[in-house]
């Protein structure tokens, strides 16, 4: 019982941090939304509505109350699982998010698989061949990934690989002729197609997914490869690496079994943060490719001044990063038992 007290204190401390973080996000977003030069009432009633209609909707939305009272009403609804109704769709925000989030999840998951699957080995090889041709090539790729606007890259990719070469599908998640053919179960187009046993829909969806996911993956690859290279260079300069080489271990064993093993804990955080950024930051790619995902929904809500939808999205983004950090902590304990102390 006494041995469990430090663990309980740690869990309690982390829960308090999570609560404060999410509360701060909601508070900041709420008050920023109320001072934005956008009128959600006007978006509902239209510019031709008379003053009486405008005032009626203004009162129904609670905008006549003080800001602290409005925020209290929102928190009360949130505690009961009510995120409010979206002005853009007229549906509950929670339903909208559940509808659009799987599209972004599918896009970001494939992107992080590409980014981490290529970025980690490239970073390791670049560090092992420091100042060589591969190292310079990886550094150029990383620089290009950081400096090239993702919006421009997306448009060029569409023009080249879709319009000119015809190697990939165009905008959207699937061809219009196949839309609705497979019943929605998970919201993940590839998974739903496999569950339905429909190979045509699967390959068509994958054909639409591969280009935007590859472009997002290239963007995360630049970050992951650069961080991996830095971590590996720090490890390869340590004395234990020299000792391993003196003992006669092969270069493969020195790099992958000794140096790389020591950076796994750091890489977990890098990949987790990159994945979280893809989930909430794929707005430009979704705009270019008309991808009906979380980013497009958030952008449309912001332009309309729909703060119920915006705050619901902010809450989801906050939860994503919190959960990814918690997952990183758990994996830390697997790869590095010293973190249990």
């Amino acid at each position: 019982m006494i041995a469990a007290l430090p663990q309980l204190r740690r869990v309690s401390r982390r829960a308090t941090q999570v609560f404060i973080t999410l509360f701060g996000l909601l508070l900041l977003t709420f008050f920023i939304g109320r001072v934005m030069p956008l009128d959600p009432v006007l978006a509902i009633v239209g510019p031709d509505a008379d003053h009486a209609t405008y005032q009626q909707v203004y009162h129904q939305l609670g905008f006549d109350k003080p800001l602290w009272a409005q925020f209290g009403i929102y928190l009360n609804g949130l505690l009961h699982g009510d995120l409010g109704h979206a002005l853009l769709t007229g549906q509950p925000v929670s339903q909208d998010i559940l509808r659009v989030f799987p599209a972004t999840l599918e896009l970001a998951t494939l992107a992080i698989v590409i980014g981490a699957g290529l970025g980690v080995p490239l970073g390791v090889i670049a560090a092992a061949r420091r100042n060589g041709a591969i190292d310079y090539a990886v550094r150029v790729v990383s620089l290009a990934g950081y400096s090239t606007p993702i919006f421009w890259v997306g448009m060029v990719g569409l023009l080249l690989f879709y319009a000119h070469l015809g190697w990939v599908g165009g905008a959207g998640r699937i061809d219009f002729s196949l839309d609705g053919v497979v019943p929605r179960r998970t919201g993940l187009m590839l998974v739903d197609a496999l569950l339905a046993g429909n190979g045509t829909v699967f390959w068509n969806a994958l054909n639409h997914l591969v280009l935007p996911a590859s472009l997002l993956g290239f963007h995360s690859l630049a970050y992951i490869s650069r961080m991996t290279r830095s971590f590996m260079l720090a490890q390869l300069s340590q004395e234990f690496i020299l000792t391993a080489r003196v003992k006669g271990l092969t270069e493969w064993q020195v790099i992958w079994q000794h140096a790389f093993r020591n950076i796994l804990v750091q890489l977990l955080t890098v990949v987790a943060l990159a994945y979280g950024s893809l989930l909430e930051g794929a707005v430009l790619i979704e705009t270019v490719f008309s991808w009906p995902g979380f980013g497009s929904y958030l952008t449309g809500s912001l332009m309309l001044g729909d703060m119920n939808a915006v705050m619901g999205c902010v809450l989801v983004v906050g939860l994503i990063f919190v959960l990814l950090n918690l997952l990183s902590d758990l994996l830390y304990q697997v790869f590095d038992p010293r973190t249990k102390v």
Side-chain angles (χ1 to χ4, degrees):
M1 183 69 179
I2 297 178
L5 288 178
Q7 188 69 17
L8 290 175
R9 282 197 293 267
R10 182 179 179 181
V11 172
S12 176
R13 183 167 61 251
R14 177 52 64 92
T16 302
Q17 293 173 351
V18 169
F19 174 80
I20 293 175
T21 300
L22 294 180
F23 181 81
L25 277 173
L26 287 176
L27 183 64
L28 183 62
T29 307
F30 182 85
F31 285 103
I32 289 177
R34 288 299 185 264
V35 299
M36 286 177 60
L38 296 173
D39 192 347
V41 178
L42 195 62
I44 296 175
V45 301
D48 299 326
D50 55 41
H51 181 71
T53 302
Y54 181 93
Q55 289 297 323
Q56 180 181 0
V57 175
Y58 187 85
H59 176 74
Q60 289 176 351
L61 294 177
F63 291 158
D64 56 332
K65 296 180 174 63
L67 287 180
W68 63 266
Q70 296 180 40
F71 187 64
I73 293 172
Y74 179 80
L75 286 181
N76 182 62
L78 186 62
L79 292 175
H80 292 83
D82 182 14
L83 296 177
H85 283 69
L87 304 181
L88 189 64
T89 63
Q91 301 294 323
V93 172
S94 56
Q95 291 185 13
D96 282 348
I97 292 176
L98 289 174
R99 174 176 53 83
V100 301
F101 190 75
T104 299
L105 179 63
E106 191 171 47
L107 178 62
T109 301
L110 182 56
I112 198 62
V113 169
I114 294 172
L118 296 177
V120 171
L122 285 176
V124 172
I125 295 172
R129 302 290 185 267
R130 186 178 185 181
N131 295 327
I134 296 179
D135 185 24
Y136 284 120
V138 171
R139 288 157 68 179
V140 168
V141 169
S142 299
L143 179 62
Y146 268 106
S147 59
T148 307
I150 192 68
F151 186 87
W152 179 82
V153 173
M155 295 186 67
V156 171
L158 270 177
L159 289 174
L160 178 61
F161 296 106
Y162 168 64
H164 182 65
L165 298 175
W167 290 356
V168 297
R173 298 182 71 187
I174 198 170
D175 289 346
F176 288 113
S177 60
L178 296 176
D179 190 19
V181 171
V182 170
R184 179 187 175 95
R185 297 181 182 177
T186 65
L188 305 173
M189 191 68 71
L190 297 180
V191 175
D192 289 345
L194 288 176
L195 291 176
N198 194 319
T200 301
V201 173
F202 176 85
W203 290 112
N204 187 270
L206 183 61
N207 197 33
H208 282 260
L209 176 64
V210 64
L211 181 58
S214 297
L215 296 179
L216 278 178
F218 170 70
H219 187 70
S220 63
L221 179 150
Y223 171 65
I224 293 173
S225 63
R226 185 174 68 89
M227 297 303 297
T228 303
R229 179 182 180 274
S230 299
F231 295 153
M232 283 295 295
L233 287 176
Q235 290 299 315
L236 291 174
S237 64
Q238 300 296 319
E239 292 184 359
F240 77 92
I241 294 296
L242 179 61
T243 303
R245 284 173 173 154
V246 170
K247 288 181 177 180
L249 297 180
T250 64
E251 192 68 10
W252 186 92
Q253 290 175 316
V254 171
I255 292 173
W256 292 101
Q257 294 185 5
H258 288 72
F260 181 72
R261 182 179 296 177
N262 281 353
I263 70 169
L264 277 177
V265 173
Q266 295 168 295
L267 280 181
L268 288 172
T269 300
V270 170
V271 174
L273 292 177
Y275 187 44
S277 298
L278 290 175
L279 285 172
E280 57 88 17
V283 176
L284 295 179
I285 282 293
E286 290 189 1
T287 301
V288 173
F289 287 86
S290 299
W291 198 263
F294 184 77
S296 297
Y297 178 75
L298 176 57
T299 303
S301 301
L302 279 170
M303 297 301 294
L304 190 61
D306 184 357
M307 292 314 299
N308 282 340
V310 171
M311 291 181 66
C313 292
V314 168
L315 183 62
V316 170
V317 171
L319 284 173
I320 288 172
F321 276 98
V322 167
L323 291 176
L324 286 175
N325 281 320
L326 288 175
L327 179 61
S328 297
D329 285 346
L330 292 176
L331 293 177
Y332 281 3
Q333 297 180 19
V334 174
F335 290 104
D336 189 355
R338 293 172 299 178
T339 58
K340 293 180 181 180
V341 180

